[in-house]
Amino acid sequence: MIAIISPHADERAHLAALCASRQLDNTVCDSLFALKALLRRVSPRVILTRQHLGDGQSEDVISALTSAGPLAPTHIVVLIQADAPAPIEARHIALGADLVQRDPVQPEVLVEYLEKYHRASRRSRLSPNRGAPLPKPIPFAGGLMHFNEHRLQNGSRTLRLSPREVTLVELLLQSRGALITYDTLYSEILARRFDGDTSNLRVLLGKLVRSTQRIGLSLRPWIEVIPKTGYRYCPPAPTSDLPADSAA
């Protein structure tokens, strides 16, 4: 998801349309306060923000992102006025901005950067080095996940997962004991906003559970489903006898 923060309604609408033209899922915020509320529910892949906000500055946006502890690396694009001093631009880069664009913004250039950062964040989610490949298998639910091959392994038994199953595994591993909300799950897997209906994710989780069973893994005890809120992935307690239902 791309989060767009601007105090100007016309600019928010224009930037949202720019993202939609490339089928990039996005949401808009009219203030720093609205962004902080968003960060409690979802970790955007990209944040596109105006320098001056009604209740803060773009530096506050970067600080809020750091304080929120996002689950995945987030790229930051800042739009500044044409006559802004060079030290302002340099300061944003020093604070962590990936790109600073001066007015007038060139839409064709901006959307290329947004799409580039959106893809880069997707690749870097599970790698300690942003954009680096994942050559080694990663432990998952008692087995090993080979992301480069979309393959899950349990001993000598393996199977290939669907792209959406792989993305769900990525997100579960990314959370590593923390709650991952339906807002994030729907944005990252289905590229749309969560409207309160969990059925699509319930079906996908059920499919992944059945896939793991085919190679002798029991995934369901690893997944805590918090009704209407999201999932939490963590090792099952040694002595627990968790139910196998998948109510969401």
Side-chain angles (χ1 to χ4, degrees), residues 5-57:
I5 308 99
S6 172
H8 311 298
D10 289 347
E11 183 170 61
R12 292 196 302 271
H14 175 72
L15 293 172
L18 187 66
C19 292
S21 70
R22 294 293 184 91
Q23 297 183 328
L24 299 172
D25 183 37
N26 67 90
T27 189
V28 297
C29 300
D30 61 2
S31 64
L32 177 64
F33 179 82
L35 172 67
K36 289 180 177 179
L38 176 70
L39 292 176
R40 289 193 291 269
R41 298 183 291 108
V42 66
S43 177
R45 294 186 189 177
V46 183
I47 286 182
L48 171 61
T49 180
R50 262 288 162 200
Q51 179 188 357
H52 300 297
L53 305 172
D55 57 349
Q57 302 291 322

Side-chain angles (χ1 to χ4, degrees), residues 84-157:
I88 295 295
E89 183 174 356
R91 174 171 170 76
H92 280 90
I93 294 173
L95 288 174
D98 295 272
L99 176 69
V100 179
Q101 289 270 281
R102 291 177 177 270
D103 290 326
V105 174
Q106 300 298 318
E108 296 82 2
V109 176
L110 181 59
V111 74
E112 289 293 341
Y113 274 114
L114 293 177
E115 189 164 16
K116 171 186 175 181
Y117 292 143
H118 197 263
R119 291 195 306 266
S121 182
R122 170 73 170 81
R123 291 195 301 268
S124 64
R125 207 184 266 127
L126 289 172
S127 175
N129 300 313
R130 299 175 78 166
L134 298 168
K136 296 182 179 180
I138 297 177
F140 176 70
L144 292 173
M145 184 67 208
H146 301 257
F147 281 99
N148 287 349
E149 305 168 18
H150 287 196
R151 184 168 57 88
L152 183 61
Q153 176 185 358
N154 181 25
S156 61
R157 304 169 68 181

Side-chain angles (χ1 to χ4, degrees), residues 160-170 204 207-208 211:
R160 187 175 177 84
L161 300 179
S162 70
R164 284 185 173 176
E165 286 178 299
V166 171
T167 302
L168 178 55
V169 171
E170 282 186 296
L204 180 60
K207 180 181 179 183
L208 182 59
S211 293

Side-chain angles (χ1 to χ4, degrees), residues 163-185:
R164 284 185 173 176
E165 286 178 299
V166 171
T167 302
L168 178 55
V169 171
E170 282 186 296
L171 293 169
L172 292 172
L173 283 172
Q174 175 192 333
S175 66
R176 299 183 188 275
L179 171 68
I180 182 166
T181 67
Y182 282 119
D183 294 272
T184 295
L185 291 165

